Amino acid sequence: MENDKIKKVIEAAKLYYQLDYSQNQIAETLGVSRPTVSRLLQQAKAEGIVTIEIKDPTEDVEVLKSLLKDRFQLQNVVVAFTPTYEESVVKKYIGQAAASYVNDLVKDGDTIGASWGSTMYQVALHLKAKSLVNSFVVQLNGGVSDADVLISPSEIVHLFGKAFNVTPYFMYLPAIVDHILVKQSMLTDRHIRRVMDMGKHANIAVFTAGSPTPDSVLINSNYFREDELEIIKNKAVGDICSRYFDCNGDICLPSLDERTVGIELADLRLKEHSILVAGGPSKVNAIFGALKGKYGNTLVTDQITAKALLDKLNLQEK
């Protein structure tokens, strides 16, 4: 092409693709007709001056799902696409994805165990109505007082029960007690024991992973002694159902674990469906530790956290 013509093709392409000019505006700016502008833009593509690449985020998501499933030996993976990596936005998108997954999964005869937390609240909020027969929903672990949390654990279990039109079973107990004798005494009550056993034997568990950050509800609940807080700060990467674990998924404080009320992490490994729902920048280490501990056979997360988990695994394996 002649230099003058090349310049005009490039100028038209820049106005259209970089500055978002309409073809009419380009025609006016360059002093040519609109059909001429159309030909210039077509020529820009034909000559390779302009190349168009379409980034489909769903393609990346499929690749990430496959890699996570293979590298962490998971039964299933759901990767939600989140437009930003802000914690509240991530929770909403993975909550929606998890709710959809659970809705498709549950069937008559299932017992569904649910933990609590803001991520789990998003899951509960987005569940669609699906009536189940001979099924139950049960709270997996004790909570903190309603004065300490914006969303009570019982509300989450209530929403699960409402969505599936089943009876919810609540655990109106503290997450952690002061002494193991207190816990042992509580477990002698047949009603409490029944709820605990339902959680243990539920075939589906839906739960999240918390991180031991200063704003953690559990950290601020006054359940811990100073020496315990120090160990949690130095060793723990996260908690599931109020039980703290390290980067390898091992329990950090056996003495604290003995005082914790609710399902034991080892029992999560035995579930038909053990669904970990977590994502966001503060949760990467917690999710990684949980996966190393094999506490979930299904992961629901976002695409940015998925990449971070794979990067972390690659670094560890080098």
Side-chain angles (χ1 to χ4, degrees), residues 123-273:
V123 179
L125 273 182
H126 290 98
L127 289 169
K128 290 185 171 61
K130 180 179 181 178
S131 290
L132 300 178
V133 177
N134 194 29
S135 297
F136 307 95
V137 173
V138 60
Q139 188 175 324
L140 287 177
N141 60 312
V144 295
S145 67
D146 290 355
D148 294 326
V149 289
L150 294 174
I151 307 146
S152 71
S154 58
E155 184 176 356
I156 292 166
V157 175
H158 170 74
L159 288 171
F160 266 77
K162 184 179 178 183
F164 300 132
N165 195 28
V166 301
T167 301
Y169 286 83
F170 305 103
M171 193 179 292
Y172 292 117
L173 299 169
I176 299 166
V177 294
D178 283 340
H179 198 282
I180 188 171
L181 292 176
V182 177
K183 177 180 169 181
Q184 289 172 344
S185 177
M186 289 192 307
L187 296 185
T188 60
D189 181 275
R190 62 189 176 92
H191 302 290
I192 292 173
R193 186 72 255 172
R194 183 189 182 197
V195 174
M196 294 279 284
D197 286 343
M198 285 180 72
K200 181 175 181 176
H201 298 297
N203 64 309
I204 299 173
V206 189
F207 56 94
T208 189
S211 52
T213 53
D215 61 346
S216 162
V217 169
L218 205 53
I219 293 290
N220 291 304
S221 63
N222 297 317
Y223 284 141
F224 311 112
R225 298 188 292 264
E226 284 301 319
D227 60 322
E228 291 172 337
L229 281 172
E230 195 63 26
I231 293 173
I232 289 170
K233 180 181 175 182
N234 293 326
K235 285 189 174 182
V237 296
D239 79 277
I240 290 172
C241 295
S242 309
R243 298 181 186 272
Y244 284 94
F245 53 87
D246 63 19
C247 59
N248 294 312
D250 297 323
I251 294 294
C252 287
L253 275 160
S255 60
L256 176 64
D257 199 61
E258 288 176 349
R259 291 166 28 223
T260 303
V261 179
I263 193 168
E264 295 189 15
L265 296 191
D267 290 330
L268 292 173
R269 298 185 182 127
L270 306 176
K271 301 294 182 193
E272 180 185 0
H273 301 284

Side-chain angles (χ1 to χ4, degrees), residues 30-100:
L30 299 183
V32 297
S33 67
R34 190 186 175 288
T36 299
V37 171
S38 182
R39 284 195 295 271
L40 291 172
L41 294 174
Q42 286 175 0
Q43 195 165 353
K45 285 192 282 186
E47 298 290 337
I49 294 168
V50 170
T51 57
I52 297 174
E53 181 183 8
I54 298 174
K55 293 290 289 182
D56 182 356
T58 60
E59 289 181 2
D60 289 340
V61 161
E62 290 303 315
V63 171
L64 289 169
K65 281 170 59 176
S66 178
L67 286 171
L68 284 170
K69 191 173 179 181
D70 178 62
R71 300 294 301 283
F72 287 100
Q73 297 180 316
L74 292 164
Q75 180 178 299
N76 207 353
V77 174
V78 177
V79 178
F81 183 80
T82 180
T84 68
Y85 207 36
E86 199 275 314
E87 297 275 2
S88 62
V89 176
V90 172
K91 287 176 182 178
K92 178 183 175 183
Y93 278 83
I94 66 174
Q96 289 174 335
S100 178

